[in-house]
Short mmCIF file of all heavy atoms in Angstrom, two decimals:
data_model
loop_
_atom_site.label_atom_id
_atom_site.label_comp_id
_atom_site.label_asym_id
_atom_site.label_seq_id
_atom_site.Cartn_x
_atom_site.Cartn_y
_atom_site.Cartn_z
N MET K 294 -96.09 102.96 11.20
CA MET K 294 -96.37 103.57 9.91
C MET K 294 -95.67 102.77 8.81
O MET K 294 -94.55 102.33 8.97
CB MET K 294 -95.89 105.02 9.90
CG MET K 294 -95.97 105.66 8.54
SD MET K 294 -95.67 107.42 8.51
CE MET K 294 -97.32 107.99 8.79
N ALA K 295 -96.35 102.60 7.72
CA ALA K 295 -95.80 101.87 6.59
C ALA K 295 -94.61 102.61 5.99
O ALA K 295 -94.53 103.83 6.06
CB ALA K 295 -96.87 101.67 5.53
N GLN K 296 -93.71 101.86 5.43
CA GLN K 296 -92.53 102.42 4.78
C GLN K 296 -92.64 102.21 3.29
O GLN K 296 -93.08 101.16 2.83
CB GLN K 296 -91.27 101.71 5.28
CG GLN K 296 -90.93 102.01 6.73
CD GLN K 296 -90.36 103.41 6.88
OE1 GLN K 296 -89.42 103.77 6.21
NE2 GLN K 296 -90.96 104.19 7.76
N ALA K 297 -92.24 103.21 2.54
CA ALA K 297 -92.20 103.11 1.08
C ALA K 297 -90.98 102.29 0.67
O ALA K 297 -89.91 102.43 1.25
CB ALA K 297 -92.13 104.49 0.45
N THR K 298 -91.20 101.42 -0.32
CA THR K 298 -90.09 100.65 -0.89
C THR K 298 -90.16 100.77 -2.40
O THR K 298 -91.21 101.08 -2.96
CB THR K 298 -90.15 99.16 -0.50
OG1 THR K 298 -91.29 98.56 -1.14
CG2 THR K 298 -90.22 98.98 1.01
N LYS K 299 -89.05 100.48 -3.04
CA LYS K 299 -89.02 100.58 -4.50
C LYS K 299 -89.85 99.49 -5.17
O LYS K 299 -90.15 99.57 -6.34
CB LYS K 299 -87.59 100.58 -5.00
CG LYS K 299 -86.83 99.29 -4.75
CD LYS K 299 -85.40 99.42 -5.19
CE LYS K 299 -84.62 98.17 -4.94
NZ LYS K 299 -83.20 98.35 -5.33
N ASP K 300 -90.27 98.48 -4.41
CA ASP K 300 -91.09 97.40 -4.94
C ASP K 300 -92.58 97.68 -4.86
O ASP K 300 -93.39 96.89 -5.34
CB ASP K 300 -90.79 96.09 -4.19
CG ASP K 300 -89.35 95.66 -4.35
OD1 ASP K 300 -88.78 95.86 -5.44
OD2 ASP K 300 -88.78 95.15 -3.37
N MET K 301 -92.95 98.82 -4.28
CA MET K 301 -94.36 99.17 -4.14
C MET K 301 -94.90 99.74 -5.45
O MET K 301 -94.20 100.43 -6.18
CB MET K 301 -94.55 100.18 -3.01
CG MET K 301 -94.28 99.59 -1.65
SD MET K 301 -94.53 100.79 -0.34
CE MET K 301 -96.32 100.76 -0.26
N ILE K 302 -96.17 99.46 -5.70
CA ILE K 302 -96.88 100.02 -6.86
C ILE K 302 -97.09 101.51 -6.60
O ILE K 302 -97.40 101.91 -5.47
CB ILE K 302 -98.23 99.29 -7.06
CG1 ILE K 302 -98.03 97.77 -7.24
CG2 ILE K 302 -99.03 99.90 -8.21
CD1 ILE K 302 -97.26 97.37 -8.46
N ILE K 303 -96.94 102.33 -7.63
CA ILE K 303 -97.10 103.77 -7.50
C ILE K 303 -98.44 104.11 -6.84
O ILE K 303 -98.50 104.94 -5.93
CB ILE K 303 -97.00 104.47 -8.88
CG1 ILE K 303 -95.62 104.27 -9.50
CG2 ILE K 303 -97.35 105.95 -8.77
CD1 ILE K 303 -94.49 104.94 -8.80
N HIS K 304 -99.50 103.46 -7.26
CA HIS K 304 -100.82 103.72 -6.69
C HIS K 304 -100.83 103.47 -5.18
O HIS K 304 -101.45 104.22 -4.42
CB HIS K 304 -101.87 102.87 -7.40
CG HIS K 304 -103.25 103.09 -6.89
ND1 HIS K 304 -103.97 104.23 -7.17
CD2 HIS K 304 -104.06 102.31 -6.12
CE1 HIS K 304 -105.15 104.15 -6.58
NE2 HIS K 304 -105.23 102.99 -5.95
N GLU K 305 -100.16 102.41 -4.73
CA GLU K 305 -100.07 102.12 -3.30
C GLU K 305 -99.36 103.24 -2.55
O GLU K 305 -99.79 103.63 -1.46
CB GLU K 305 -99.31 100.81 -3.06
CG GLU K 305 -100.01 99.58 -3.55
CD GLU K 305 -99.14 98.34 -3.43
OE1 GLU K 305 -97.91 98.42 -3.55
OE2 GLU K 305 -99.73 97.27 -3.22
N LEU K 306 -98.30 103.74 -3.15
CA LEU K 306 -97.57 104.85 -2.53
C LEU K 306 -98.46 106.08 -2.39
O LEU K 306 -98.49 106.72 -1.34
CB LEU K 306 -96.33 105.21 -3.35
CG LEU K 306 -95.22 104.18 -3.35
CD1 LEU K 306 -94.18 104.53 -4.41
CD2 LEU K 306 -94.57 104.10 -1.97
N LEU K 307 -99.19 106.38 -3.44
CA LEU K 307 -100.07 107.56 -3.42
C LEU K 307 -101.17 107.40 -2.37
O LEU K 307 -101.57 108.39 -1.75
CB LEU K 307 -100.67 107.80 -4.80
CG LEU K 307 -99.66 108.16 -5.89
CD1 LEU K 307 -100.32 108.16 -7.26
CD2 LEU K 307 -99.00 109.50 -5.60
N GLN K 308 -101.63 106.17 -2.15
CA GLN K 308 -102.66 105.93 -1.15
C GLN K 308 -102.15 106.11 0.28
O GLN K 308 -102.95 106.30 1.20
CB GLN K 308 -103.24 104.51 -1.31
CG GLN K 308 -103.98 104.30 -2.62
CD GLN K 308 -105.17 105.22 -2.76
OE1 GLN K 308 -106.03 105.25 -1.91
NE2 GLN K 308 -105.21 105.98 -3.84
N MET K 309 -100.84 106.07 0.48
CA MET K 309 -100.26 106.26 1.81
C MET K 309 -100.29 107.72 2.26
O MET K 309 -100.07 108.00 3.42
CB MET K 309 -98.79 105.80 1.81
CG MET K 309 -98.59 104.34 1.57
SD MET K 309 -96.84 103.92 1.31
CE MET K 309 -96.14 104.34 2.89
N ASP K 310 -100.58 108.62 1.36
CA ASP K 310 -100.44 110.05 1.61
C ASP K 310 -101.80 110.73 1.70
O ASP K 310 -102.55 110.73 0.72
CB ASP K 310 -99.62 110.66 0.47
CG ASP K 310 -99.31 112.12 0.66
OD1 ASP K 310 -99.49 112.64 1.77
OD2 ASP K 310 -98.86 112.73 -0.32
N PRO K 311 -102.11 111.35 2.83
CA PRO K 311 -103.38 112.05 2.96
C PRO K 311 -103.42 113.36 2.15
O PRO K 311 -104.47 113.89 1.88
CB PRO K 311 -103.48 112.34 4.45
CG PRO K 311 -102.08 112.38 4.93
CD PRO K 311 -101.33 111.40 4.06
N GLY K 312 -102.26 113.84 1.76
CA GLY K 312 -102.17 115.06 0.96
C GLY K 312 -101.67 114.74 -0.43
O GLY K 312 -102.03 113.73 -1.01
N SER K 313 -100.83 115.59 -0.94
CA SER K 313 -100.29 115.35 -2.28
C SER K 313 -98.77 115.39 -2.30
O SER K 313 -98.16 115.55 -3.34
CB SER K 313 -100.85 116.39 -3.26
OG SER K 313 -100.48 117.69 -2.83
N GLY K 314 -98.16 115.22 -1.14
CA GLY K 314 -96.71 115.30 -1.04
C GLY K 314 -95.97 114.23 -1.83
O GLY K 314 -94.97 114.51 -2.48
N ILE K 315 -96.48 113.00 -1.79
CA ILE K 315 -95.82 111.93 -2.53
C ILE K 315 -95.95 112.19 -4.02
O ILE K 315 -94.98 112.03 -4.77
CB ILE K 315 -96.36 110.55 -2.13
CG1 ILE K 315 -95.94 110.22 -0.69
CG2 ILE K 315 -95.87 109.47 -3.10
CD1 ILE K 315 -96.49 108.92 -0.15
N ALA K 316 -97.11 112.61 -4.46
CA ALA K 316 -97.29 112.93 -5.88
C ALA K 316 -96.32 114.04 -6.28
O ALA K 316 -95.73 113.97 -7.37
CB ALA K 316 -98.74 113.36 -6.14
N GLU K 317 -96.14 115.03 -5.45
CA GLU K 317 -95.22 116.12 -5.75
C GLU K 317 -93.78 115.62 -5.85
O GLU K 317 -93.03 116.03 -6.73
CB GLU K 317 -95.32 117.21 -4.70
CG GLU K 317 -96.61 118.00 -4.81
CD GLU K 317 -96.75 119.06 -3.73
OE1 GLU K 317 -95.72 119.50 -3.16
OE2 GLU K 317 -97.89 119.45 -3.45
N ILE K 318 -93.40 114.72 -4.96
CA ILE K 318 -92.05 114.14 -4.99
C ILE K 318 -91.84 113.40 -6.31
O ILE K 318 -90.81 113.56 -6.97
CB ILE K 318 -91.82 113.19 -3.79
CG1 ILE K 318 -91.74 114.00 -2.49
CG2 ILE K 318 -90.56 112.34 -3.99
CD1 ILE K 318 -91.81 113.16 -1.23
N LEU K 319 -92.81 112.59 -6.70
CA LEU K 319 -92.70 111.82 -7.94
C LEU K 319 -92.67 112.75 -9.15
O LEU K 319 -91.85 112.56 -10.06
CB LEU K 319 -93.85 110.82 -8.05
CG LEU K 319 -93.87 109.73 -6.98
CD1 LEU K 319 -95.11 108.87 -7.13
CD2 LEU K 319 -92.62 108.88 -7.01
N MET K 320 -93.52 113.75 -9.17
CA MET K 320 -93.56 114.67 -10.30
C MET K 320 -92.28 115.48 -10.41
O MET K 320 -91.78 115.72 -11.50
CB MET K 320 -94.79 115.56 -10.19
CG MET K 320 -96.07 114.77 -10.45
SD MET K 320 -97.60 115.68 -10.25
CE MET K 320 -97.40 116.96 -11.45
N LYS K 321 -91.72 115.85 -9.27
CA LYS K 321 -90.46 116.60 -9.25
C LYS K 321 -89.33 115.78 -9.87
O LYS K 321 -88.41 116.34 -10.48
CB LYS K 321 -90.12 116.98 -7.81
CG LYS K 321 -88.85 117.78 -7.64
CD LYS K 321 -88.63 118.16 -6.18
CE LYS K 321 -88.27 116.90 -5.42
NZ LYS K 321 -87.90 117.11 -4.03
N SER K 322 -89.42 114.47 -9.76
CA SER K 322 -88.37 113.60 -10.30
C SER K 322 -88.61 113.27 -11.77
O SER K 322 -87.88 112.48 -12.35
CB SER K 322 -88.27 112.32 -9.48
OG SER K 322 -89.39 111.52 -9.70
N GLY K 323 -89.67 113.83 -12.36
CA GLY K 323 -89.94 113.59 -13.77
C GLY K 323 -91.07 112.62 -14.04
O GLY K 323 -91.42 112.37 -15.19
N MET K 324 -91.64 112.04 -12.99
CA MET K 324 -92.74 111.09 -13.17
C MET K 324 -94.06 111.85 -13.14
O MET K 324 -94.69 112.00 -12.10
CB MET K 324 -92.70 110.03 -12.08
CG MET K 324 -91.55 109.10 -12.22
SD MET K 324 -91.72 107.72 -11.10
CE MET K 324 -90.34 108.03 -10.03
N ARG K 325 -94.46 112.30 -14.29
CA ARG K 325 -95.69 113.10 -14.38
C ARG K 325 -96.93 112.22 -14.59
O ARG K 325 -98.02 112.70 -14.78
CB ARG K 325 -95.57 114.09 -15.52
CG ARG K 325 -94.33 114.96 -15.42
CD ARG K 325 -94.67 116.41 -15.53
NE ARG K 325 -93.53 117.31 -15.57
CZ ARG K 325 -92.70 117.55 -14.59
NH1 ARG K 325 -92.81 116.92 -13.46
NH2 ARG K 325 -91.71 118.41 -14.71
N CYS K 326 -96.72 110.92 -14.53
CA CYS K 326 -97.82 109.99 -14.84
C CYS K 326 -98.47 109.43 -13.58
O CYS K 326 -99.02 108.34 -13.62
CB CYS K 326 -97.29 108.85 -15.70
SG CYS K 326 -95.95 107.94 -14.92
N VAL K 327 -98.43 110.17 -12.48
CA VAL K 327 -98.99 109.63 -11.24
C VAL K 327 -100.48 109.31 -11.34
O VAL K 327 -100.98 108.51 -10.57
CB VAL K 327 -98.71 110.56 -10.03
CG1 VAL K 327 -97.23 110.65 -9.76
CG2 VAL K 327 -99.31 111.93 -10.25
N GLY K 328 -101.18 109.92 -12.27
CA GLY K 328 -102.60 109.64 -12.44
C GLY K 328 -102.92 108.73 -13.61
O GLY K 328 -104.07 108.44 -13.87
N CYS K 329 -101.91 108.27 -14.31
CA CYS K 329 -102.16 107.45 -15.51
C CYS K 329 -102.37 105.98 -15.13
O CYS K 329 -102.06 105.57 -14.02
CB CYS K 329 -101.02 107.60 -16.51
SG CYS K 329 -99.54 106.69 -16.11
N PRO K 330 -102.89 105.18 -16.02
CA PRO K 330 -103.13 103.76 -15.73
C PRO K 330 -101.88 103.00 -15.29
O PRO K 330 -101.98 102.05 -14.52
CB PRO K 330 -103.68 103.21 -17.05
CG PRO K 330 -104.28 104.39 -17.72
CD PRO K 330 -103.41 105.55 -17.34
N SER K 331 -100.72 103.41 -15.75
CA SER K 331 -99.49 102.72 -15.35
C SER K 331 -99.26 102.80 -13.85
O SER K 331 -98.64 101.92 -13.26
CB SER K 331 -98.28 103.32 -16.07
OG SER K 331 -98.35 103.06 -17.44
N ALA K 332 -99.76 103.84 -13.22
CA ALA K 332 -99.58 104.00 -11.77
C ALA K 332 -100.25 102.88 -10.99
O ALA K 332 -99.89 102.63 -9.85
CB ALA K 332 -100.14 105.35 -11.33
N ARG K 333 -101.18 102.19 -11.60
CA ARG K 333 -101.88 101.10 -10.91
C ARG K 333 -101.17 99.75 -11.06
O ARG K 333 -101.56 98.78 -10.41
CB ARG K 333 -103.30 100.98 -11.41
CG ARG K 333 -104.13 102.17 -11.03
CD ARG K 333 -105.60 101.83 -11.04
NE ARG K 333 -106.40 102.95 -10.58
CZ ARG K 333 -106.80 103.10 -9.33
NH1 ARG K 333 -106.47 102.22 -8.42
NH2 ARG K 333 -107.54 104.14 -8.98
N GLY K 334 -100.13 99.68 -11.89
CA GLY K 334 -99.47 98.40 -12.09
C GLY K 334 -97.96 98.46 -12.13
O GLY K 334 -97.31 97.43 -12.24
N GLU K 335 -97.41 99.65 -12.03
CA GLU K 335 -95.96 99.82 -12.14
C GLU K 335 -95.36 100.10 -10.77
O GLU K 335 -95.89 100.90 -10.00
CB GLU K 335 -95.70 100.99 -13.10
CG GLU K 335 -94.32 101.04 -13.67
CD GLU K 335 -94.23 102.05 -14.80
OE1 GLU K 335 -94.68 103.19 -14.63
OE2 GLU K 335 -93.70 101.68 -15.86
N THR K 336 -94.24 99.45 -10.48
CA THR K 336 -93.57 99.70 -9.21
C THR K 336 -92.79 101.00 -9.28
O THR K 336 -92.52 101.53 -10.37
CB THR K 336 -92.59 98.57 -8.85
OG1 THR K 336 -91.52 98.56 -9.81
CG2 THR K 336 -93.27 97.22 -8.79
N LEU K 337 -92.40 101.48 -8.12
CA LEU K 337 -91.57 102.68 -8.06
C LEU K 337 -90.27 102.44 -8.83
O LEU K 337 -89.82 103.31 -9.57
CB LEU K 337 -91.27 103.05 -6.60
CG LEU K 337 -90.39 104.26 -6.37
CD1 LEU K 337 -91.00 105.52 -6.96
CD2 LEU K 337 -90.11 104.44 -4.89
N GLU K 338 -89.71 101.27 -8.69
CA GLU K 338 -88.45 100.96 -9.38
C GLU K 338 -88.65 100.97 -10.90
O GLU K 338 -87.82 101.51 -11.63
CB GLU K 338 -87.92 99.61 -8.93
CG GLU K 338 -86.57 99.27 -9.50
CD GLU K 338 -85.96 98.05 -8.85
OE1 GLU K 338 -86.69 97.09 -8.52
OE2 GLU K 338 -84.73 98.06 -8.67
N GLN K 339 -89.73 100.39 -11.38
CA GLN K 339 -89.99 100.37 -12.82
C GLN K 339 -90.21 101.78 -13.36
O GLN K 339 -89.66 102.16 -14.40
CB GLN K 339 -91.23 99.51 -13.12
CG GLN K 339 -91.01 98.04 -12.88
CD GLN K 339 -92.32 97.26 -12.89
OE1 GLN K 339 -93.37 97.77 -12.51
NE2 GLN K 339 -92.25 96.00 -13.34
N ALA K 340 -91.01 102.56 -12.65
CA ALA K 340 -91.30 103.92 -13.09
C ALA K 340 -90.04 104.79 -13.04
O ALA K 340 -89.78 105.57 -13.95
CB ALA K 340 -92.39 104.54 -12.22
N ALA K 341 -89.27 104.63 -11.98
CA ALA K 341 -88.03 105.41 -11.86
C ALA K 341 -87.09 105.06 -13.01
O ALA K 341 -86.49 105.96 -13.62
CB ALA K 341 -87.36 105.13 -10.52
N GLY K 342 -86.95 103.79 -13.32
CA GLY K 342 -86.09 103.37 -14.42
C GLY K 342 -86.53 103.95 -15.75
O GLY K 342 -85.70 104.38 -16.56
N ALA K 343 -87.83 104.00 -15.97
CA ALA K 343 -88.35 104.54 -17.22
C ALA K 343 -88.16 106.05 -17.33
O ALA K 343 -88.15 106.59 -18.42
CB ALA K 343 -89.83 104.20 -17.35
N HIS K 344 -88.00 106.71 -16.17
CA HIS K 344 -87.89 108.17 -16.16
C HIS K 344 -86.49 108.65 -15.76
O HIS K 344 -86.28 109.83 -15.52
CB HIS K 344 -88.92 108.76 -15.21
CG HIS K 344 -90.32 108.62 -15.71
ND1 HIS K 344 -90.85 107.46 -16.18
CD2 HIS K 344 -91.32 109.52 -15.81
CE1 HIS K 344 -92.10 107.64 -16.55
NE2 HIS K 344 -92.41 108.88 -16.34
N GLY K 345 -85.54 107.72 -15.68
CA GLY K 345 -84.16 108.10 -15.37
C GLY K 345 -83.96 108.59 -13.95
O GLY K 345 -83.07 109.39 -13.68
N ALA K 346 -84.78 108.11 -13.02
CA ALA K 346 -84.67 108.50 -11.61
C ALA K 346 -84.12 107.33 -10.80
O ALA K 346 -84.14 106.18 -11.25
CB ALA K 346 -86.03 108.93 -11.08
N ASN K 347 -83.65 107.62 -9.60
CA ASN K 347 -83.10 106.60 -8.71
C ASN K 347 -84.20 106.15 -7.74
O ASN K 347 -84.64 106.94 -6.90
CB ASN K 347 -81.90 107.16 -7.96
CG ASN K 347 -81.24 106.13 -7.08
OD1 ASN K 347 -81.87 105.53 -6.22
ND2 ASN K 347 -79.95 105.94 -7.28
N ALA K 348 -84.62 104.91 -7.83
CA ALA K 348 -85.72 104.39 -7.01
C ALA K 348 -85.38 104.39 -5.53
O ALA K 348 -86.24 104.69 -4.69
CB ALA K 348 -86.10 102.98 -7.46
N ASP K 349 -84.15 104.07 -5.18
CA ASP K 349 -83.75 104.06 -3.77
C ASP K 349 -83.82 105.46 -3.17
O ASP K 349 -84.30 105.64 -2.06
CB ASP K 349 -82.34 103.49 -3.61
CG ASP K 349 -82.28 102.01 -3.92
OD1 ASP K 349 -83.16 101.26 -3.45
OD2 ASP K 349 -81.35 101.59 -4.64
N GLU K 350 -83.35 106.44 -3.92
CA GLU K 350 -83.40 107.83 -3.44
C GLU K 350 -84.84 108.31 -3.32
O GLU K 350 -85.18 109.02 -2.37
CB GLU K 350 -82.60 108.74 -4.37
CG GLU K 350 -81.11 108.52 -4.29
CD GLU K 350 -80.32 109.34 -5.30
OE1 GLU K 350 -80.93 110.15 -6.05
OE2 GLU K 350 -79.10 109.16 -5.35
N LEU K 351 -85.68 107.94 -4.27
CA LEU K 351 -87.09 108.34 -4.19
C LEU K 351 -87.77 107.71 -2.98
O LEU K 351 -88.52 108.38 -2.28
CB LEU K 351 -87.82 107.95 -5.47
CG LEU K 351 -87.57 108.84 -6.67
CD1 LEU K 351 -88.14 108.21 -7.93
CD2 LEU K 351 -88.17 110.21 -6.45
N ALA K 352 -87.53 106.43 -2.75
CA ALA K 352 -88.13 105.76 -1.58
C ALA K 352 -87.67 106.45 -0.30
O ALA K 352 -88.48 106.67 0.61
CB ALA K 352 -87.76 104.28 -1.57
N GLU K 353 -86.40 106.81 -0.23
CA GLU K 353 -85.88 107.50 0.95
C GLU K 353 -86.55 108.87 1.12
O GLU K 353 -86.94 109.24 2.23
CB GLU K 353 -84.37 107.66 0.85
CG GLU K 353 -83.77 108.33 2.05
CD GLU K 353 -82.25 108.44 1.99
OE1 GLU K 353 -81.64 107.93 1.02
OE2 GLU K 353 -81.68 109.06 2.89
N GLU K 354 -86.69 109.60 0.03
CA GLU K 354 -87.32 110.92 0.10
C GLU K 354 -88.79 110.79 0.52
O GLU K 354 -89.28 111.57 1.34
CB GLU K 354 -87.22 111.63 -1.24
CG GLU K 354 -87.72 113.05 -1.20
CD GLU K 354 -87.48 113.84 -2.47
OE1 GLU K 354 -86.82 113.33 -3.40
OE2 GLU K 354 -87.96 114.98 -2.53
N ILE K 355 -89.48 109.80 0.00
CA ILE K 355 -90.87 109.57 0.38
C ILE K 355 -90.96 109.21 1.86
O ILE K 355 -91.82 109.73 2.59
CB ILE K 355 -91.52 108.49 -0.51
CG1 ILE K 355 -91.69 109.03 -1.93
CG2 ILE K 355 -92.85 108.02 0.07
CD1 ILE K 355 -92.04 107.97 -2.96
N ASN K 356 -90.08 108.35 2.33
CA ASN K 356 -90.09 107.96 3.74
C ASN K 356 -89.77 109.15 4.65
O ASN K 356 -90.37 109.28 5.72
CB ASN K 356 -89.14 106.80 3.99
CG ASN K 356 -89.73 105.51 3.48
OD1 ASN K 356 -90.93 105.27 3.60
ND2 ASN K 356 -88.90 104.64 2.91
N ASN K 357 -88.86 110.00 4.23
CA ASN K 357 -88.57 111.20 5.01
C ASN K 357 -89.80 112.10 5.08
O ASN K 357 -90.12 112.66 6.14
CB ASN K 357 -87.39 111.97 4.43
CG ASN K 357 -86.07 111.25 4.64
OD1 ASN K 357 -85.94 110.40 5.52
ND2 ASN K 357 -85.09 111.57 3.83
N TYR K 358 -90.49 112.23 3.97
CA TYR K 358 -91.73 113.02 3.93
C TYR K 358 -92.77 112.41 4.88
O TYR K 358 -93.38 113.12 5.68
CB TYR K 358 -92.26 113.07 2.50
CG TYR K 358 -93.68 113.54 2.41
CD1 TYR K 358 -94.01 114.88 2.56
CD2 TYR K 358 -94.70 112.63 2.19
CE1 TYR K 358 -95.33 115.30 2.49
CE2 TYR K 358 -96.02 113.05 2.10
CZ TYR K 358 -96.34 114.38 2.26
OH TYR K 358 -97.64 114.80 2.19
N LEU K 359 -92.97 111.10 4.79
CA LEU K 359 -93.94 110.43 5.66
C LEU K 359 -93.56 110.54 7.13
O LEU K 359 -94.44 110.70 7.99
CB LEU K 359 -94.10 108.96 5.26
CG LEU K 359 -94.75 108.69 3.90
CD1 LEU K 359 -94.64 107.22 3.54
CD2 LEU K 359 -96.19 109.16 3.90
N GLN K 360 -92.29 110.48 7.42
CA GLN K 360 -91.83 110.64 8.81
C GLN K 360 -92.19 112.02 9.32
O GLN K 360 -92.59 112.18 10.45
CB GLN K 360 -90.32 110.40 8.90
CG GLN K 360 -89.77 110.49 10.31
CD GLN K 360 -90.29 109.40 11.23
OE1 GLN K 360 -90.63 108.30 10.79
NE2 GLN K 360 -90.37 109.68 12.50
N GLY K 361 -92.05 113.03 8.46
CA GLY K 361 -92.42 114.39 8.84
C GLY K 361 -93.90 114.50 9.16
O GLY K 361 -94.29 115.22 10.06
N LEU K 362 -94.74 113.78 8.43
CA LEU K 362 -96.18 113.78 8.70
C LEU K 362 -96.46 113.16 10.06
O LEU K 362 -97.32 113.61 10.81
CB LEU K 362 -96.93 112.99 7.63
CG LEU K 362 -97.02 113.59 6.24
CD1 LEU K 362 -97.80 112.66 5.32
CD2 LEU K 362 -97.66 114.97 6.26
N LYS K 363 -95.73 112.10 10.36
CA LYS K 363 -95.93 111.38 11.62
C LYS K 363 -95.54 112.26 12.80
O LYS K 363 -96.16 112.22 13.85
CB LYS K 363 -95.11 110.10 11.61
CG LYS K 363 -95.27 109.24 12.83
CD LYS K 363 -94.45 107.99 12.72
CE LYS K 363 -94.53 107.16 13.99
NZ LYS K 363 -93.67 105.99 13.92
N LEU K 364 -94.51 113.07 12.64
CA LEU K 364 -94.03 113.92 13.72
C LEU K 364 -94.92 115.14 13.94
O LEU K 364 -94.92 115.72 15.01
CB LEU K 364 -92.60 114.38 13.43
CG LEU K 364 -91.56 113.26 13.39
CD1 LEU K 364 -90.20 113.82 12.98
CD2 LEU K 364 -91.45 112.55 14.73
N ALA K 365 -95.63 115.52 12.89
CA ALA K 365 -96.45 116.74 12.99
C ALA K 365 -97.69 116.55 13.84
O ALA K 365 -98.12 115.54 14.18
CB ALA K 365 -96.87 117.19 11.59
#
């Protein structure tokens, strides 16, 4: 299974998720622009920096979420 990294484009991260869990994680951290054009060209690190979030923590939270999907 692919792992989320802070260097991934937001759109790529969203494509990894069959549901909306990753979008919820991002929105919870203040990134409400998951559907905006920036999501197609901005990395997790860039978006996190613009929204005052920690990219490493977000990548870890996303990976934990994805791991839960794999175990289910």
Side-chain angles (χ1 to χ4, degrees):
M294 172 171 272
Q296 291 286 307
T298 68
K299 65 184 179 183
D300 299 324
M301 292 181 78
I302 302 296
I303 297 293
H304 181 73
E305 293 173 328
L306 291 169
L307 295 171
Q308 295 299 305
M309 295 170 64
D310 185 13
S313 60
I315 292 176
E317 288 178 23
I318 290 168
L319 296 175
M320 290 176 60
K321 181 178 71 174
S322 71
M324 290 190 246
R325 306 232 186 292
C326 58
V327 295
C329 77
S331 293
R333 293 202 176 265
E335 199 168 49
T336 66
L337 179 60
E338 185 170 37
Q339 290 168 329
H344 290 49
N347 183 304
D349 291 315
E350 290 175 3
L351 283 170
E353 182 177 357
E354 186 173 355
I355 291 168
N356 285 322
N357 289 339
Y358 165 76
L359 292 171
Q360 183 65 28
L362 290 180
K363 183 179 176 183
L364 295 175

